[in-house]
């Protein structure tokens, strides 16, 4: 039987704090979602001034990064490269800004961010993931 790490509230808090700091240092109003390895939200934080729709989009980015086991930028690149079928794929958000949390080669969760440009969303998500990188 295999075993793997799991996110606890300590890691979730560290991820949120690092992502929030990155966003606030850049003056970006975003929503940050941390999800478990099945894409289920463990925490959601919408910073002041962020549009309500970002909560939905960040959640879908986190879900897609977790269950797809890859950054959502990969899906966006596929669509932009002409694979339009991914636009109708279930449980796939084809927008950059979802990043898996990988520990010992296993996806243990993800971070989804929405509210600014795709590259900026990804920057905030990656800052959160880096808070617990081993």
């Amino acid at each position: 039987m295999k075993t793997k790490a799991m996110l606890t509230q300590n890691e979730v808090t560290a991820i949120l704090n690092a992502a929030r700091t990155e966003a606030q240092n850049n003056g970006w109003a975003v929503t940050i979602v941390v999800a478990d390895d099945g894409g289920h939200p463990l925490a959601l934080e919408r910073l002041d001034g962020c549009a309500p729709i970002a909560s939905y989009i960040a959640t879908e980015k986190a879900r897609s990064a977790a269950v797809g086991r890859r950054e959502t930028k990969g899906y966006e690149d596929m669509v932009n490269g002409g694979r339009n079928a991914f636009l109708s794929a279930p449980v796939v958000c084809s927008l950059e800004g979802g990043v898996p949390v990988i520990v010992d080669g296993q996806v243990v969760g993800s971070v989804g961010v929405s509210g600014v440009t795709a590259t900026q969303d990804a920057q905030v998500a990656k800052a959160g993931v880096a808070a617990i990188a081993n």
Side-chain angles (χ1 to χ4, degrees):
M1 190 175 289
K2 293 183 179 183
T3 59
K4 73 175 187 178
M6 295 179 63
L7 294 177
T8 67
Q9 282 302 304
N10 288 334
E11 289 84 29
V12 170
T13 299
I15 290 167
L16 278 177
N17 288 341
R20 180 188 326 105
T21 297
E22 181 70 18
Q24 290 176 332
N25 285 346
N26 287 286
W28 298 334
V30 299
T31 296
I32 305 157
V33 174
V34 180
D36 66 13
D37 62 335
H40 306 97
L42 298 172
L44 181 152
E45 185 171 346
R46 187 175 67 169
L47 301 183
D48 293 342
C50 185
I53 189 70
S55 297
Y56 176 82
I57 295 169
T59 299
E60 292 306 309
K61 287 179 180 183
R63 183 183 335 276
S64 295
V67 299
R69 307 298 200 240
R70 64 165 68 188
E71 288 190 35
T72 54
K73 181 179 184 339
Y75 297 118
E76 183 173 0
D77 290 345
M78 283 186 233
V79 170
N80 289 340
R83 298 225 29 219
N84 296 331
F86 271 95
L87 292 173
S88 64
V91 195
V92 173
C93 179
S94 298
L95 299 171
E96 183 177 3
V99 179
V101 177
I102 300 171
V103 175
D104 296 327
Q106 298 289 321
V107 173
V108 298
S110 63
V111 181
V113 177
S114 182
V116 285
T117 69
T119 302
Q120 293 165 338
D121 288 345
Q123 180 179 329
V124 172
K126 288 175 182 178
V129 171
I132 65 161
N134 51 354

